[in-house]
Amino acid sequence: MSIWEYIISAKRCLSASKMRTLLTTLGIIVGISSVILINTIGNSLGQTIENVIYSMYSGNEAYVSIVPDKKTNPDVEYDELGGFYIPENIRFTSDMIDAYDKQFSEQAKRVVYDDQVFGSGKITISDQFYSTVTASAASYTLKDYFNIKMLDGRFISKQDTDRYTQVTVISDITAESCFGDKNPIGEQITIPNGNGVFLECTVIGVYKYSEQGSALMENDKREICTNVYVPYTYLFRELDYTSQDMYESYSIKNVTDTEKYKAETESFFNSYFEGTGWKVSVELMTDQLDMISKIINGITFIIVAVAAISLLVGGIGVMNIMLVSVTERTMEIGVRKAMGASNKSVRIQFIVESVMISFLGSFLGIIIGLIQSKLLAMIAVRIASAKNFNLVVDLAVPYSAILLSVLFSFVIGIGFGVYPADKAAKMEVVDALRYE
Amino acid sequence: MPEQNNKAVIDMTGIIKRYYIGMPNELQILNGISLKINEGEFVAIVGESGSGKSTMMNIIGALDRPTEGKYLFNGEDISSLSDKKLSLIRNKEIGFVFQNFNLIPRTSAQKNIELPMMYAGKGRKERAKKAMELLGIVGMEERADHNPNELSGGQKQRVAIARAMANDPSLILADEPTGALDTKTGRVVMDIFHKLHKSGKTIVLITHSPELAKETQRIITISDGSVVSDTGGAVNENF
C-alpha cells in the first residue's frame, strides 16, 4: 500500500468528521499563528528601528575615542555618568589625524563632530522676526554626510574651518522667520549658544530643512527648532571647548570587513599612545545596530518560546483525539487486520492521520498568523500617521518561522501520533473484532 | 457423498487452545481437535454457544494461533507463524464474512471491497475493475457508491461476501452470516454461498442453526472443545 493511498484514506477519514478535525487542529492553529505573529512583529520592529537609524545617517560610522587602558591604568576615576578626565598630554594631534586620513582615505572619510549640537535659543531680529535654532558644529564634510540640500549660497568650506571664519548656514525656515522675503545672504546674525555665549556670524548659505517628526505639529514656523551650522573650529574656540581633541568621527565607506577596519584603526592610533595608560577605542555604528537587533531577537525568541508551548498543548490535543479515535475504531482496526492489514500498515495509517491533522493546523495557523501580522501592521501605520509620525513598517514574511512551524507540526504529528498508532497496531485482532 | 478433491485446504492435528496459561484460572477451550477440509468442500461447523466453535474459527481463520498442535494451511504449517506472516495468509488465502457484516463505515461499497486488494498492493485500476466484477456476482453493481449506512442488512452482507472474495482466497470463512438477517434476506445470502460453492470455492460456515447446516455437504459438530460428530469422510487418519 503506497503512502499516497494512506493519505487518501486518512483524508476520507478526517473529512468524515470535519468539525472534530477542525477543533482538534485549533490548538495547533493558535500555536503556529502566534509564533508567526510574534516573529513577524519582532522582525519588523528590528527592521523598522534599523531603517530609522540608517535614515538618520547616510552610512556606517565609526567613533574613535580615547579611553583608559584598564590593565595598565586601573586608577582612573569615573564620574556618575561614566565620564573621566583625560590628561592634557593625551590628545589626538592634527599630525596623527592627518596621517590617519592619508592612510585610510580609501576606507574612511572624516566627519568631524557631526551632530555635536550645543545649546539652543532664539535668533532675534525684531519682535516679529525671530527663529528657534540649535548651533551645530560643522565641517565641510557634513554637507555630503547629512545630504544637506543648499537652496542659496554655499556650505561651510575647509578654508572656513582652517581660518576660524565667523560664518553660518541657516535653514530656509530660519531665513523666512528672520528675514521674510529679504535675501538673508550676507546678513549678520547673533546666535545664542547657552551659557551666555553668543556667536556673531555672517549668513553664507541657506539649506532646505527636511521636515521630521514632531516639527510637523508646530504651527508657528518661528517655533520650529532648526540647526544653524557654524565652523567647528570657531565654535569650539568661543566655547573654550577642549574635548575636540579626544574624539573623532568617521564615515566609513568601501569597508566590507568592519572588524578588520576596526582593529587596524585601533592599532594605528594606539601606536601613538603606547605606555601612557590610555588607548584608542573604535566603536562602530553596526555594533550598536547589532546590539539592538540582538536585544529584539532575544525578546522575540522568549515570546516565541512561550507561544511554542501552546503548540505543545495543541499536540497533546491531537494525541487525545487520536486515542479516542483508536478506541472508537477498534472494530474497524480488527476488520482491517482480518482483511490482511499488518501491524505496520495500521500504525502508518494512524500516524498519517495525526500528521495530516497537524499539517492542516499549521497551514491554517500560517495563514491566520500572516493575516494577523498584516492587520497589525496596518493598524500601527494608521495610528502613527494619525499622530503625524511617518512610520514605515517593513512587514517581512518570516519564511524561517514558517518552515520551522511546518517542521515542528510534523514532529508533533509524529511524536503525539506514535502512541495512539502503536496502541492501534498492537491490538489483538481477535479482541478487536469482538469489541463492542 | 459428493465428489471430493484430495487436496486439503485445512489439515489440523491435535489442536489445543488454552487461555490464561500458568494462571489459576487456566482454561482449555479446544481439547486436541484434528480435522481435514479439502478443496471445494462446503462445510458447516456447528456447536452450542460456549462449545469452542468461535475459537475454532479464529484458529482456522489465522486470526489466532493454537497453543499446541499442527495446522497445515494449503500444506504450509502456519501454527507458529509471526503476526506479519499470518496477516499475509489472511489477506491472500482467507475471505471473512462476519455476522455483523463489519464493513468500514463512511466508505463506499466499492472501496470496502477494494480494501483487501489495497493491502495486497494491487493497483487502483485493477482494484476497481475487480470490485465491480464482484459486485456483479452478488448483484450489487448499482450500489457501488453507497456507504454502509445507506444499505440494508442483506445488502451489507452481500458486499461483505464480495469483499471476502476480493483476493480469490482458498477459503471463505463465514461466521453466522445470516445471524443478523431475517429469513428472506438470509436466504438470498445462503443462495450466494451455494453459487460460490458451485463455482468451486471452499466454504466453511460456522453456525448454531441445524437448518442452515443441513444445506451444506458436511456437518462437523463441536461440543466442549472436541469434535463429537462429523458427517464427512475427511477426518484425519492420524486421529
Side-chain angles (χ1 to χ4, degrees), chain A residues 2 9 11 19 42 50 79 87 93 117-118 133 170 234 239 249 271 283 297 301 337 378 380 388 393 411 414 427 434:
Chain A
S2 73
S9 151
K11 188 181 145 249
M19 196 59 186
E50 227 167 83
D79 64 23
T93 63
V117 287
F118 295 87
V133 295
I170 61 174
Y234 165 59
L239 287 172
S249 169
S271 62
E283 205 182 315
N297 284 347
F301 178 79
K337 285 190 166 183
M378 274 165 63
N388 268 330
V393 177
V411 170
I414 290 185
M427 259 177 207
R434 218 185 292 143

Side-chain angles (χ1 to χ4, degrees), chain A residues 254-301:
Chain A
N254 305 328
V255 172
T256 45
D257 190 347
T258 51
E259 284 305 311
K260 187 167 165 254
Y261 163 78
K262 198 171 146 177
E264 281 173 359
T265 301
E266 280 178 1
S267 77
F268 175 86
F269 283 113
N270 278 337
S271 62
Y272 292 97
F273 295 108
E274 233 165 277
T276 59
W278 297 83
K279 64 174 186 179
V280 164
S281 153
V282 176
E283 205 182 315
L284 296 172
M285 186 141 100
T286 46
D287 291 348
Q288 293 178 356
L289 283 179
D290 281 353
M291 207 172 69
I292 291 170
S293 59
K294 254 183 205 153
I295 292 169
I296 291 171
N297 284 347
I299 294 169
T300 307
F301 178 79

Side-chain angles (χ1 to χ4, degrees), chain A residues 119-149:
Chain A
S120 55
K122 283 187 169 59
I123 299 171
T124 311
I125 307 293
S126 66
D127 284 350
Q128 253 188 322
F129 292 97
Y130 67 88
S131 177
T132 312
V133 295
T134 302
S136 183
S139 73
Y140 67 99
T141 53
L142 211 63
K143 181 170 169 282
D144 289 339
Y145 188 69
F146 278 129
N147 214 0
I148 294 168
K149 298 240 165 21

Side-chain angles (χ1 to χ4, degrees), chain A residues 1 4-6 8-9 12-13 16-17 328-329 331-332 335-346 349 428-430 433-434 436, chain B residues 19 58 62-64 83-84 87-88 90-91 94 96 98 100 102-107 111 115-116 118-119 121-124 127 163 167:
Chain A
M1 202 167 155
W4 186 240
E5 277 166 331
Y6 284 111
I8 291 173
S9 151
R12 191 186 306 130
C13 191
S17 43
E328 249 181 22
R329 286 154 68 190
M331 178 68 104
E332 181 194 320
V335 173
R336 282 180 185 273
K337 285 190 166 183
M339 297 297 138
S342 63
N343 291 358
K344 190 177 146 200
S345 61
V346 171
Q349 183 196 338
E428 286 293 333
V429 54
V430 176
L433 279 171
R434 218 185 292 143
E436 271 160 17
Chain B
Y19 289 101
N58 289 341
L63 296 170
D64 206 353
D83 281 324
K84 197 179 168 185
S87 73
L88 271 176
R90 289 199 294 269
N91 183 231
I94 300 168
F96 289 92
F98 301 99
N100 298 319
N102 285 354
L103 297 178
I104 308 286
R106 295 182 289 263
T107 304
K111 293 284 173 207
L115 193 70
M118 214 152 84
Y119 287 121
K122 287 184 182 157
R124 180 184 298 258
R127 290 192 322 238
R163 183 177 65 177
N167 285 334

Side-chain angles (χ1 to χ4, degrees), chain A residues 223-266:
Chain A
E223 297 295 338
I224 299 173
C225 185
T226 64
N227 283 343
V228 286
Y229 294 106
V230 178
Y232 75 97
T233 43
Y234 165 59
L235 180 62
F236 290 155
R237 191 185 65 194
E238 293 302 304
L239 287 172
D240 217 4
Y241 194 76
T242 53
S243 78
Q244 55 169 307
D245 298 318
M246 321 183 310
Y247 184 84
E248 290 290 324
S249 169
Y250 290 91
S251 167
I252 306 171
K253 51 184 185 180
N254 305 328
V255 172
T256 45
D257 190 347
T258 51
E259 284 305 311
K260 187 167 165 254
Y261 163 78
K262 198 171 146 177
E264 281 173 359
T265 301
E266 280 178 1

